[in-house]
Amino acid sequence: MAILNFSDVLKNVGLDPKRVKLIRHSLGDKAFKKCYDKGMVEEYTRVQSETFSNGYDYWCVFISDKSTTAKFFACYKVSGGVIDTQDTKPKGFPLEDWFQGQRMFYNLERIDLLKEYEGRLLIEWGKSALVWAQKGTKEKPIVAIRDKKIFSGYENAILTYEELREIVQDPTAYESWHTALSTVNAVYLIVDRENGRKYVGSAYGKGGLLGRWTHYVKSLHGDNKLMKELLCDYPDRYTHFQFSILQLLPKAVTPDEVIQTETLWKKKLLTYEPLGMNAN
């Protein structure tokens, strides 16, 4: 018998488990994976059948891989919705055959009652993994509450795409990373581990390095010409990208000075095409 179930957590923060619906998304689902990679978990979740939320005021969303455990993503308050027509489709939503007017596009408000557990709380969903939506009263044993991930230093920041995505999408568990990366300007390096080709870029202004790298997580290519061409030929190639920092720059640095430093690194590392992925 579990010492603590997720329903106990709901009660502790003042939520009635009877009014909460539990939703499990799987990274093994190709459609969900596309939305997850684009940072559109909430948008994906909002599209449900007309009767899906009958009797429920809140949705608690979990994400799992191939195991029967699931990580808590967020809790939302539900307040009606509209038919999922094309004009309600969010910009950049990756599933072309969705929003055909056959389902509802629900209004969700992310609430803070369970914010401290986002990305940290792990439950055992159970063997009925195919039953991806269940009642909040269903016993879901809490397997673990993971510690927050401490920033390891700028010189040690060598990240795969998957690691960077987790950092970007989980600001609670990676609070120190968000603080560190958002407060610096920098010249950074992306390496395609499949063939060794390199790309040098720079980050400055609002959001700092975190803002720039977040764009890569959401777009997969950061609007870089040669990366776009690469992903057209090899759509999953972004999963081979490695991110690191070449040089930190003072906050007071001008855009021209940033570009000069970036250009110097391009020359040093020979990242211009055809050897690298810098088009200019």
Side-chain angles (χ1 to χ4, degrees):
M1 182 177 179
I3 296 177
L4 190 66
N5 290 306
F6 187 68
S7 58
D8 297 317
V9 175
L10 293 175
K11 294 174 185 175
N12 287 341
V13 297
L15 295 179
D16 183 354
K18 294 179 181 178
R19 308 297 297 177
V20 178
K21 194 155 198 172
L22 309 181
I23 299 172
R24 171 187 174 271
H25 296 314
S26 172
L27 291 171
D29 183 312
K30 292 182 179 179
F32 172 69
K33 182 71 161 51
K34 288 182 178 179
C35 292
Y36 180 82
D37 288 342
K38 294 277 286 184
M40 304 187 83
V41 173
E42 181 176 320
E43 290 81 354
Y44 177 90
T45 304
R46 290 176 63 186
V47 181
Q48 303 293 345
S49 69
E50 187 175 355
T51 59
F52 183 79
S53 201
N54 287 358
Y56 298 96
D57 300 318
Y58 298 91
W59 296 356
C60 283
V61 179
F62 295 81
I63 298 175
S64 70
D65 47 26
K66 295 180 180 179
S67 68
T68 57
T69 59
K71 183 169 62 175
F72 178 63
F73 179 76
C75 182
Y76 298 96
K77 184 175 182 180
V78 191
S79 57
V82 296
I83 301 298
D84 65 334
T85 54
Q86 283 291 305
D87 60 339
T88 64
K89 186 175 183 178
K91 183 179 179 181
F93 194 77
L95 306 179
E96 295 182 1
D97 57 339
W98 281 40
F99 290 87
Q100 301 298 323
Q102 299 174 346
R103 291 179 287 185
M104 293 289 291
F105 190 48
Y106 285 90
N107 299 318
L108 299 182
E109 177 189 353
R110 196 165 185 158
I111 63 173
D112 292 336
L113 288 176
L114 296 170
K115 187 175 179 60
E116 66 176 295
Y117 297 113
E118 292 179 3
R120 300 176 57 216
L121 187 147
L122 200 68
I123 66 168
E124 173 60 48
W125 189 265
K127 295 181 179 179
S128 57
L130 293 178
V131 185
W132 58 273
Q134 299 184 21
K135 298 178 180 179
T137 53
K138 191 79 172 179
E139 290 190 353
K140 301 293 182 185
I142 293 177
V143 176
I145 300 177
R146 295 171 175 168
D147 294 334
K148 293 185 177 182
K149 310 298 191 300
I150 304 302
F151 180 63
S152 57
Y154 296 107
E155 69 281 2
N156 297 319
I158 304 174
L159 306 168
T160 65
Y161 172 82
E162 295 290 341
E163 290 170 336
L164 178 59
R165 179 180 62 188
E166 184 171 345
I167 289 170
V168 167
Q169 296 183 346
D170 196 347
T172 301
Y174 290 92
E175 182 179 0
S176 63
W177 282 82
H178 278 244
T179 299
L181 296 180
S182 64
T183 54
V184 296
N185 296 325
V187 176
Y188 59 86
L189 177 69
I190 300 176
V191 179
D192 182 348
R193 293 176 297 159
E194 185 73 16
N195 58 20
R197 294 181 74 193
K198 302 176 179 66
Y199 175 87
V200 169
S202 61
Y204 54 93
K206 186 177 181 180
L209 182 57
L210 178 66
R212 183 64 185 133
W213 277 3
T214 296
H215 187 46
Y216 283 100
V217 170
K218 293 182 177 180
S219 68
L220 307 182
H221 49 64
D223 290 326
N224 299 314
K225 176 177 177 288
L226 297 185
M227 285 188 185
K228 283 183 178 180
E229 293 176 0
L230 177 65
L231 295 181
C232 281
D233 295 331
Y234 307 98
D236 294 329
R237 194 58 160 271
Y238 65 90
T239 60
H240 294 269
F241 291 169
Q242 174 183 282
F243 297 76
S244 61
I245 300 170
L246 292 174
Q247 183 177 341
L248 296 177
L249 301 171
K251 269 294 188 180
V253 71
T254 67
D256 286 342
E257 290 172 324
V258 173
I259 300 303
Q260 289 174 10
T261 305
E262 178 187 349
T263 300
L264 182 59
W265 277 106
K266 290 176 183 177
K267 292 178 179 178
K268 287 181 177 181
L269 298 178
L270 299 175
T271 62
Y272 291 109
E273 60 175 329
L275 296 178
M277 292 189 287
N278 284 104
N280 53 56

